[in-house]
Amino acid sequence: MKVFINDWVPIISLGFSLIAIGLTLFQMWRTRVRVTVTFGRTLESHDAKDMFVLLGDGRKSPVLDNDFWSVRLDIINTTPTPISFFDLRMFSPDSNINYYLMTRKSVPALEDALIFIQDSITDFHRLDIPEKNHGLIPARGYISYDLITLPRSSAKISQCVVSFRIPKHQLFRDPYSVTNRSRFKTYSKCFSTVIPASCKGSEPGRSPKK
């Protein structure tokens, strides 16, 4: 009987070890970073007067003095833990120079204001301006931003890249990064700012290829 039990001890131990490994792998799979990112189809051009705040008497007060571009960004986090994002930027893929990105922090006077954009002669909707160029995506949550940038009138601009990172390592480095964060997971999309021109190495609105 003792010999029989001794024969089964290694098998039982192996079984418990396999169960422990399975549970660990399942937990790793369940908590892995899963983010779904959707960029707007096009980079839209607007007149300065299209962005405004509503005053108490119902009048519209313009926010900007210059024409601007806008694009929508939607991020879904399906993991059971919050995920941070950072290095949100809009830039030229040719020079790697950032364009101005409008945030609540960059316009302190509008930090708590309700900002709207004109869709048509009679319709308008509220803009979701990011507070900063970094933030937190809630666990099993969703965030949506209207990204606003001002074109550089002194330069010929045919392309604009929108990108951001999350704290997950990727195999290849981001060719546009000049910091030690180049191997963090980067989501990006390249937009054409002229019609019918397209981003180099890609179709209009597709991520640039290097």
Side-chain angles (χ1 to χ4, degrees), residues 89 91-96 161 163 165 170-179 181-188 207-210:
R89 61 191 292 236
F91 64 95
S92 164
D94 296 320
S95 65
N96 203 19
V161 175
S163 73
R165 309 181 206 281
Q170 60 185 11
L171 183 60
F172 301 104
R173 66 180 296 274
D174 176 10
Y176 295 110
S177 177
V178 293
T179 70
R181 298 191 290 269
S182 63
R183 290 195 182 276
F184 284 110
K185 177 68 176 177
T186 302
Y187 294 89
S188 67
S207 298
K209 298 179 181 177
K210 285 285 182 180

Side-chain angles (χ1 to χ4, degrees), residues 53-170:
V53 294
L54 283 176
L55 302 178
D57 58 5
R59 289 184 299 114
K60 299 175 182 178
S61 176
V63 173
L64 301 173
D65 297 324
N66 303 307
D67 296 344
F68 62 95
W69 296 329
S70 74
V71 67
R72 192 78 173 177
L73 171 62
D74 300 315
I75 311 174
I76 301 174
N77 173 20
T78 59
T79 59
T81 56
I83 299 174
S84 61
F85 71 90
F86 53 96
D87 290 349
L88 176 62
R89 61 191 292 236
M90 301 178 77
F91 64 95
S92 164
D94 296 320
S95 65
N96 203 19
I97 295 177
N98 287 346
Y99 300 142
Y100 167 77
L101 174 65
M102 184 178 182
T103 65
R104 296 272 180 186
K105 291 293 186 182
S106 68
V107 190
L110 301 175
E111 192 167 349
D112 299 317
L114 299 181
I115 306 173
F116 298 88
I117 190 169
Q118 197 78 41
D119 296 319
S120 64
I121 296 177
T122 58
D123 295 328
F124 57 87
H125 72 271
R126 179 183 172 183
L127 289 175
D128 296 312
I129 305 295
E131 183 179 1
K132 295 171 287 191
N133 70 340
H134 57 91
L136 201 64
I137 313 166
R140 304 193 191 282
Y142 164 83
I143 60 174
S144 183
Y145 291 131
D146 292 293
L147 304 181
I148 306 295
T149 188
L150 307 180
R152 297 174 182 265
S153 57
S154 59
K156 268 191 167 182
I157 300 173
S158 60
Q159 303 168 41
C160 176
V161 175
V162 179
S163 73
F164 70 93
R165 309 181 206 281
I166 62 172
K168 176 184 179 182
H169 287 282
Q170 60 185 11

